[in-house]
Amino acid sequence: MRFYFHLFYAMLSCINKIYQSVETMRFNKNKYLKDMEQTDVERIRSEQISIAFRQAFASIFPLFLGALIISILYWDTSLSPYVNVWFVVINITLIWRLWLLIQHKKHPKKYSDLVWEYYFKVVMYISALLWGLSAFFLFQSDDITDQFAIIFIISGISSVASGTLASMFGLSVVFLSFLIAPLFMVMVLHGGLEYQMMGFLVAAYYILLVNASRRIHLNILSALKSKILHEKAAEALALSEEQFETIFKEAPAGIFYYNKDLIVIESNVEMMQILQITRDEMIGLDLKKLPDRSLYDAIFEPISGNKGYYEGSYVTMIHNLQLWITLRTSPIYNAKREIIGGVALVTDITERIQAEEKIKHQAYYDALTDIPNRILLKDRLAQSLAHYRRSKNIVAVMFLDLDHFKSINDSLGHHVGDALLIETAKRLKKICREGDTVSRLGGDEFVILLNELGNDPHIAATKVESVAEKIHEALGSAFDVGLSDTITTSSSIGIAMVTSEIQTADDLLKFADTAMYQAKKEGRNTTRFYQEKMDQWIKHRLFLENALRHAIKNNELELYYQPVIEIATKRIIGAEALLRWNHPELGIVMPDEMITIAEESGLIVPIGEWVLREACRQFVSWRAKNLSQTHIDRIAVNVSAIQFKQNNFVDNVIRIVAETGIMPSMLELELTESTVIDKLDTVIEKMNRLRAAGINLSMDDFGTGYSSLAYLKKLPFTTLKIDRSFVRDIMSDEDDAALVETILSMASIFKFDVIAEGVETIEQFKFLEDHGCQYFQGYLCSKPVQVKYFEELLTHDVQKCTTQSAKNSLQRTSALSI
């Protein structure tokens, strides 16, 4: 017991110091009072004291009742004499408090506010200490009901005190501390695990109460301040009717008033402009007769004394305009506080909603063909597999690739390739049923999800094969893509049918992809079902994987660099490092295939570190050589999602930066959306560490995913890279142009740098320049090139990079970008 009292005394000393610090900063640092005059501050303090006195009346009887219950429950314990003494002292304190409260109520001017405050604190401190001491009775009874009675009573007093004493926050903190600290000590030091855990819950409860008391305290201060300001503003408000009228008329939001019969009696110009009607049409409008009833509830709420709110679509009555609006309504009172009508504030959010819908649509649908993309496909495939597990109704995935599409795209131009893809999507949609899904993964790769194929595998396979034959026939017909002559193509199709309940969407897509490559290997324009033993394909993949394991030490990996151009100066200010693999037998291995193998095998981690180290080393070398009059000041390196998820990723990056000597601010890591949307808290922590180290971060392929905008405010990116799929058609597709404009405007608001990828024409360049884009990459200046050719770019007048001659001079060194 003596140990408890010593520990209690030490905690009281700490609590008192806390109170002193709270009181010291009470006025001179309170944001709610910093702009108040001294007389107003004193008045508020007086009001706080008065509130505390008034609130204290209600707790006297409950405190007496609680003390009585404790004294009865612990009457026959070993501490019975102490309990009796405690009960008597508690009642003396209550009588003292009651007398003090009555005196303040009858003679509030008898003493100054400081004296009243002092008396009140003394009696409340003593009361809190006495009630806190009751915690030492807790384990003097073996009856758990008695124990919980004390816990319940102390908790109840604490809860009430956090509110009733909140007007004097310092007092509230000390009161709660005196009250709860003994209970915490007794429970924690009792020795039982259950009570120790409850003790920490009590500590958490204390923190919550202090926080709640603080919020109430701030609300009280705010209310008192508002009361004073309201009184001061009453006279000024009466003189400001003309100013109010001006504000009402010129407000950037629509405002209108209506009476209790829901008849519009006044409106500002903005409201009439939103509805595109005249004042004569607006004034006298009967809101009860609106054909679109979606606004009615929000409009009627003020008549009942409530506020109304609506956000959504609305069709106007007079011109049938389809709008998206937010409507906020509030009641209007007369001098007698009688409701006489309502006021409505209307904001036209049509443009914002349309932009959001467009971006959301872009997240789930392919921008070129307007059919589902990979994200939506995987979602639907997962649902189909879940249905299969319940019903055994077979699902099939068809992976389709257009044969020789790259040759068509390269020889006839991207616009022809795009037209071919669009027409392909249309033909596939006509073949498939309504419940199936035709999607485009990218490039010339299409995936078709076939549902409801029945429970018999043989019948299901026959149905799928029939669909494949129809596809071959449809795609074998001539395509009219705007040329003088039509073109023809064919397709290779891989099919994977679900055969196990444990198969996932990724499994089926992988199997169908494997079967499609097998179809290509066997002559194209054919269909192959996935089989577990596709030796040739597996051997090829294993061969590449084994070769890739030795690529670094055999010096087979090489970095190409594509310039980043500042649009304002038309000068090279940086470069993006892109990985190439020069296999001694196979030659250049396609980057997509190499990266896929590296990610699947785990080799992407050491390869990624090599790329980062080599890019940093090369950049430092360029800076040391002083190759151009205006030094390049950034080097961008792509980071794989698998690489980023490594626990030591940030440490490795910081280590490589230190070892190579590159300035952290000149390194930019490019992350795709798929890299950052998983385990957001961990991602943000890693990104913040990189930013704290001075390293810049850019979101690659921005605009191709739904979550970009949702997470943009949370993720500390410095740069956005507009995906080439949007830039490509900005001069011919109004939707892409509007989307790029939206991204640039949003980036300006959030103060992001923007790099546009895939700029190939002067017209695209001028569009980006006119709309405030800072940087670009693309064939207009240069394809990705080897080190020596990039250095040639740096030593020449890079402003000429937008001319055809510069493009031609780099043609021989070009390579495809990853």
Side-chain angles (χ1 to χ4, degrees), residues 673-797:
E673 182 181 327
S674 61
T675 304
V676 299
I677 60 175
D678 187 31
K679 297 182 179 179
L680 190 59
D681 292 340
T682 302
V683 167
I684 292 175
E685 188 271 334
K686 286 185 177 181
M687 294 178 70
N688 283 334
R689 286 184 60 195
L690 291 169
R691 291 292 298 121
I695 298 167
N696 295 312
L697 301 171
S698 69
M699 176 174 277
D700 199 11
D701 301 335
F702 179 74
T704 59
Y706 172 63
S707 299
S708 297
L709 285 179
Y711 295 143
L712 203 55
K713 291 174 64 178
K714 298 180 181 179
L715 300 173
F717 283 109
T718 56
T719 305
L720 302 181
K721 300 192 73 173
I722 303 178
D723 187 68
R724 67 183 69 247
S725 62
F726 302 128
V727 175
R728 177 180 57 206
D729 298 323
I730 55 177
M731 304 309 300
S732 59
D733 190 319
E734 293 182 357
D735 290 341
D736 281 352
L739 187 57
V740 170
E741 288 182 35
T742 301
I743 293 173
L744 290 171
S745 298
M746 181 197 63
S748 176
I749 293 172
F750 288 104
K751 302 187 185 309
F752 291 124
D753 288 340
V754 179
I755 301 175
E757 297 182 298
V759 179
E760 299 183 3
T761 67
I762 290 294
E763 290 77 15
Q764 292 170 347
F765 173 85
K766 292 297 295 181
F767 178 93
L768 295 169
E769 183 180 35
D770 292 342
H771 289 85
C773 184
Q774 296 101 325
Y775 310 100
F776 82 89
Q777 292 175 243
Y779 290 4
L780 179 63
C781 178
S782 172
K783 297 180 180 181
V785 295
Q786 293 173 302
V787 172
K788 60 180 179 179
Y789 298 117
F790 187 83
E791 291 179 353
E792 289 180 11
L793 284 175
L794 293 180
T795 56
H796 290 80
D797 182 2

Side-chain angles (χ1 to χ4, degrees), residues 796-813:
H796 290 80
D797 182 2
V798 296
Q799 294 194 49
K800 296 180 181 179
C801 71
T802 57
T803 65
Q804 187 64 36
S805 60
K807 292 169 60 180
N808 293 338
S809 68
L810 293 171
Q811 188 70 30
R812 60 192 175 85
T813 62

Side-chain angles (χ1 to χ4, degrees), residues 320-475:
N320 291 324
L321 302 176
Q322 179 69 53
L323 303 176
W324 277 85
I325 64 170
T326 58
L327 171 70
R328 295 176 174 84
T329 58
S330 298
I332 301 176
Y333 301 89
N334 60 15
K336 297 180 180 180
R337 297 299 294 170
E338 297 171 340
I339 296 175
I340 60 174
V343 59
L345 179 67
V346 179
T347 305
D348 184 359
I349 59 172
T350 305
E351 291 185 2
R352 190 196 81 189
I353 293 298
Q354 290 175 345
E356 290 176 354
E357 288 296 324
K358 187 176 295 184
I359 293 173
K360 185 175 181 179
H361 184 82
Q362 185 67 44
Y364 292 106
Y365 289 84
D366 178 59
L368 178 65
T369 60
D370 201 37
I371 61 175
N373 61 12
R374 181 186 296 270
I375 297 174
L376 185 54
L377 168 69
K378 292 186 70 172
D379 181 70
R380 291 184 179 178
L381 180 52
Q383 295 179 28
S384 298
L385 289 176
H387 179 67
Y388 165 77
R389 297 183 189 104
R390 294 191 302 269
S391 65
K392 301 304 179 185
N393 210 312
I394 295 174
V395 177
V397 172
M398 305 178 68
F399 205 112
L400 181 149
D401 185 272
L402 296 179
D403 298 330
H404 307 296
F405 175 78
K406 185 177 183 302
S407 299
I408 296 173
N409 210 35
D410 292 343
S411 60
L412 300 180
H414 291 297
H415 65 286
V416 174
D418 290 346
L420 177 60
L421 293 174
I422 293 171
E423 182 61 28
T424 298
K426 290 179 180 179
R427 295 187 184 186
L428 293 176
K429 288 171 66 176
K430 288 181 180 179
I431 294 171
C432 296
R433 301 165 299 174
E434 185 177 350
D436 299 330
T437 298
V438 178
S439 65
R440 177 177 176 237
L441 301 190
D444 61 329
E445 294 180 337
F446 294 84
V447 172
I448 301 171
L449 169 62
L450 300 177
N451 294 305
E452 303 294 335
L453 297 174
N455 304 103
D456 188 321
H458 298 291
I459 296 176
T462 302
K463 291 179 179 179
V464 177
E465 191 168 20
S466 175
V467 174
E469 290 175 358
K470 292 179 181 179
I471 292 175
H472 285 305
E473 181 180 353
L475 299 185

Side-chain angles (χ1 to χ4, degrees), residues 392-624:
K392 301 304 179 185
N393 210 312
I394 295 174
V395 177
V397 172
M398 305 178 68
F399 205 112
L400 181 149
D401 185 272
L402 296 179
D403 298 330
H404 307 296
F405 175 78
K406 185 177 183 302
S407 299
I408 296 173
N409 210 35
D410 292 343
S411 60
L412 300 180
H414 291 297
H415 65 286
V416 174
D418 290 346
L420 177 60
L421 293 174
I422 293 171
E423 182 61 28
T424 298
K426 290 179 180 179
R427 295 187 184 186
L428 293 176
K429 288 171 66 176
K430 288 181 180 179
I431 294 171
C432 296
R433 301 165 299 174
E434 185 177 350
D436 299 330
T437 298
V438 178
S439 65
R440 177 177 176 237
L441 301 190
D444 61 329
E445 294 180 337
F446 294 84
V447 172
I448 301 171
L449 169 62
L450 300 177
N451 294 305
E452 303 294 335
L453 297 174
N455 304 103
D456 188 321
H458 298 291
I459 296 176
T462 302
K463 291 179 179 179
V464 177
E465 191 168 20
S466 175
V467 174
E469 290 175 358
K470 292 179 181 179
I471 292 175
H472 285 305
E473 181 180 353
L475 299 185
S477 301
F479 285 83
D480 183 0
V481 291
L483 300 175
S484 56
D485 296 324
T486 59
I487 61 174
T488 58
T489 185
S490 60
S491 60
S492 298
I493 300 176
I495 300 173
M497 298 175 59
V498 61
T499 58
S500 169
E501 292 186 1
I502 64 172
Q503 287 177 339
T504 65
D506 289 333
D507 291 336
L508 284 184
L509 289 172
K510 180 180 177 181
F511 295 159
D513 186 23
T514 301
M516 184 273 293
Y517 274 104
Q518 188 68 24
K520 279 188 176 295
K521 294 289 184 182
E522 297 182 11
R524 305 177 187 269
N525 193 27
T526 187
T527 300
R528 287 292 177 268
F529 282 82
Y530 173 77
Q531 300 175 2
E532 292 186 3
K533 296 182 179 180
M534 289 183 166
D535 293 336
Q536 184 176 357
W537 169 249
I538 294 175
K539 288 179 180 179
H540 175 70
R541 297 281 289 191
L542 288 175
F543 171 76
L544 288 179
E545 181 179 331
N546 290 330
L548 189 57
R549 293 184 184 277
H550 303 285
I552 296 178
K553 66 179 181 180
N554 293 340
N555 296 319
E556 297 173 11
L557 298 182
E558 181 182 6
L559 290 185
Y560 279 45
Y561 297 90
Q562 185 172 36
V564 176
I565 314 301
E566 185 175 31
I567 291 179
T569 62
K570 300 180 180 63
R571 290 187 177 275
I572 298 176
I573 56 88
E576 178 181 0
L578 299 168
L579 181 61
R580 298 292 182 265
W581 180 16
N582 299 308
H583 191 276
E585 299 176 10
L586 302 178
I588 294 292
V589 179
M590 294 302 293
D592 287 343
E593 185 177 19
M594 172 181 58
I595 295 301
T596 300
I597 295 173
E599 288 183 337
E600 291 177 355
S601 63
L603 293 173
I604 193 66
V605 175
I607 291 176
E609 289 189 14
W610 179 87
V611 170
L612 179 61
R613 184 183 301 278
E614 180 64 18
C616 291
R617 184 200 62 76
Q618 182 61 65
F619 182 79
V620 172
S621 174
W622 283 332
R623 296 280 294 183

